[in-house]
Amino acid sequence: MRGTTTLAAIVAAMLLSALAAAPPAAADAGYTSAYRTIPGHGGTPLKALVYRPKGEGPFPLIVMPASWSLFHAEYAGAAAKFAEAGYTVVAYTSRGFWDSGGRIEIAGRPDVGDLSKVIDWSLAHTRADRRKIGAAGISYGAGISLLGAAHDPRIRAVSAMSGWASLPDSLYQHETVSEQTAALLLSVGHVTGKPGADYLTVQDGYLEDRFGTAVELASIRGAANYVKRINASKPAIMLANGWQDGIFPPAQYVDFFNRLKVPKRLTFQAGDHGTPEALGALGLPNETWTQTRKWFDRYLRGRKNGIGAAGPVALKPNNGGSWSYFPSWSAQTERTRRYPLPAGRTKIAAGVNTVADSGIVEATGIAAQAGIHWTIKPAEVDRAHALVHRMPAVKARTVVSGAPVLRTTLTPSARKTTIFAYLYDEAPDGRARLVTHVPYSLRGATPGRPRALTLPLQPIRWKLAKGHRLTLVIDTVDPRYRTTAARATTTTLTGGSLTVPFG
């Protein structure tokens, strides 16, 4: 109860901040703003802020669905800037949350229908140009925008920030529950909205550790399931995310990007869920929103402004540095190096935590933006409960760029187990900063039977200084996730390698 009260207080503070960011347009502004009720899918009332540029029009239209647990005013600053630049903008609270009607459908068909209904209303009640329609959003709003582009061919451009293309690959990576993420999303959903039937089904699966139905529901709620439709419609798709997004990690965006055959852009920089673009939503200077503006100017207005001229893939190292541009995702990797792992058998006593872990959702990525990285000393990792393998120190400054791949043979003593693979940048003084990681759960195994494992870690771009080394740690418990590895069981790792991409 105490935790719920604290959460409610935090959300209330967010609400007050958002309201403060959404004042009426000044008399001398180049636009007007108004609070409106828009009939959504099935007539459900959706509350919205509508920004209309002054003038005859028609004006390009951008629809912005609100993030999970937030509402229309989260985009107040960005929407005002777009309106000043001659865009009609409709930012609305997603159904089931705050002032909108209905129930939380977790990006279900009613949510996709809502986006189309908001477009219908905008075309009927504003001077919006039906040939120039875009959708933009953060997190939940990003996912709904991508789904909207898959189902409504009127949407010609999208900017999806800190979003998802595949929910199973985000919240259930390699059959591993993201414990902190699930608890966070479900908790704030109850505080800020009205859960629907599918929401409660997913919640029950989370609480009871059964995920078959939840995974089925999640699979149809991601744009990755509709790539053929998107490629046929050919909207311009911009994807932007933080390297350490703890809710929607980068690999699922990369997979989606590589399958798209449309005008596209992919950007990664330091940050966690929603943090790289958060200030821009309030109207403050922000790289992601600047690129979003250029994206819509290019693909809605036809302005040749150089967006993407240097390459559709834009990457900034997670530990600081400038942007690098590439013609494709794979082009960032200039070479790979295969590091053999210990040839013998390493038996880990499972179910016991070590000092190695992936940090705290949101906090770890936000700290990385400030140059503060999750740090351990590998020498302090208990070898009874983990494998630790140190690679040779590099002789010159280099960049890890892409997704490292772990290959090994895993033999559990029980029917299920979980491992966590962490890659660290270890300095000569023995302190090591987390570069990337990945969880993996094995369910329904035959105890004692070896299982060959090929496991890509989450992709990263990371500057590795001269004299530093990469250190791999594999253990079986991480507080961010739900482990299936029980105490009194063992997990044996035999041989293998770690292949590291360098740029």
Side-chain angles (χ1 to χ4, degrees), residues 103-104 106 186 190 195-206:
R103 294 192 172 274
I104 302 170
I106 49 175
L186 291 171
H190 276 285
D198 287 347
Y199 179 114
L200 297 175
T201 296
V202 171
Q203 177 179 272
D204 289 345
Y206 162 74

Side-chain angles (χ1 to χ4, degrees), residues 181-449:
T181 294
L184 174 66
L185 293 177
L186 291 171
S187 296
V188 298
H190 276 285
V191 173
T192 62
K194 304 169 284 293
D198 287 347
Y199 179 114
L200 297 175
T201 296
V202 171
Q203 177 179 272
D204 289 345
Y206 162 74
L207 294 173
E208 299 169 13
D209 200 39
R210 51 176 178 78
F211 298 100
T213 301
V215 170
E216 288 178 14
L217 290 172
S219 296
I220 61 173
R221 286 167 156 85
N225 200 50
Y226 306 103
V227 171
K228 287 185 178 180
R229 288 188 186 182
I230 293 173
N231 286 340
S233 182
K234 296 193 179 304
I237 304 291
M238 173 177 159
L239 308 171
N241 209 347
W243 287 117
Q244 290 180 270
D245 193 316
I247 297 180
F248 303 129
Q252 50 93 30
Y253 250 10
V254 172
D255 292 343
F256 178 61
F257 175 83
N258 285 335
R259 294 171 61 200
L260 290 175
K261 297 178 181 178
V262 303
K264 59 184 180 179
R265 181 175 179 82
L266 177 66
T267 74
F268 287 116
Q269 59 184 302
D272 212 307
H273 183 67
T275 65
E277 60 277 351
L279 296 179
L282 299 176
L284 298 175
N286 181 265
E287 290 179 306
T288 304
W289 280 96
T290 296
Q291 295 302 306
T292 292
R293 166 73 181 280
K294 289 183 177 180
W295 191 252
F296 287 130
D297 281 350
R298 174 68 183 90
Y299 289 102
L300 295 184
R301 285 178 155 164
R303 294 179 178 173
K304 296 181 179 180
N305 52 19
I307 183 76
V313 177
L315 308 175
K316 183 181 282 190
N318 193 41
N319 56 337
S322 59
W323 289 99
S324 296
Y325 301 91
F326 305 94
S328 65
W329 173 258
S330 61
Q332 65 174 301
T333 302
E334 296 178 358
R335 62 185 176 88
T336 60
R337 180 171 177 181
R338 179 181 174 276
Y339 295 96
L341 299 184
R345 293 161 57 90
T346 302
K347 182 178 288 188
I348 298 171
V352 178
N353 198 12
T354 71
V355 298
D357 64 60
S358 59
I360 303 166
V361 169
E362 292 290 6
T364 301
I366 292 172
Q369 278 182 273
I372 304 168
H373 296 273
W374 200 254
T375 302
I376 68 166
K377 289 186 176 181
E380 297 176 352
V381 176
D382 189 340
R383 268 56 170 182
H385 303 293
L387 177 150
V388 180
H389 182 65
R390 302 169 76 225
M391 270 60 85
V394 298
K395 297 180 180 179
R397 182 179 179 274
T398 188
V399 179
V400 177
S401 197
V405 179
L406 171 66
R407 293 179 176 85
T408 190
T409 299
L410 184 149
T411 307
S413 68
R415 288 185 55 79
K416 56 186 179 180
T417 194
T418 301
I419 63 169
F420 302 94
Y422 312 96
L423 187 62
Y424 290 95
D425 170 358
E426 184 176 352
D429 66 1
R431 293 174 62 82
R433 296 178 295 170
L434 182 64
V435 176
T436 183
H437 79 285
V438 72
Y440 176 84
S441 292
L442 184 60
R443 300 169 183 267
T446 301
R449 177 176 293 178

Side-chain angles (χ1 to χ4, degrees), residues 148-173:
H151 290 84
D152 193 329
R154 295 176 297 179
I155 297 174
R156 305 314 307 145
V158 173
S159 176
M161 297 165 272
S162 293
W164 79 89
S166 170
L167 282 177
D169 291 336
S170 297
L171 305 178
Y172 197 51
Q173 282 187 78

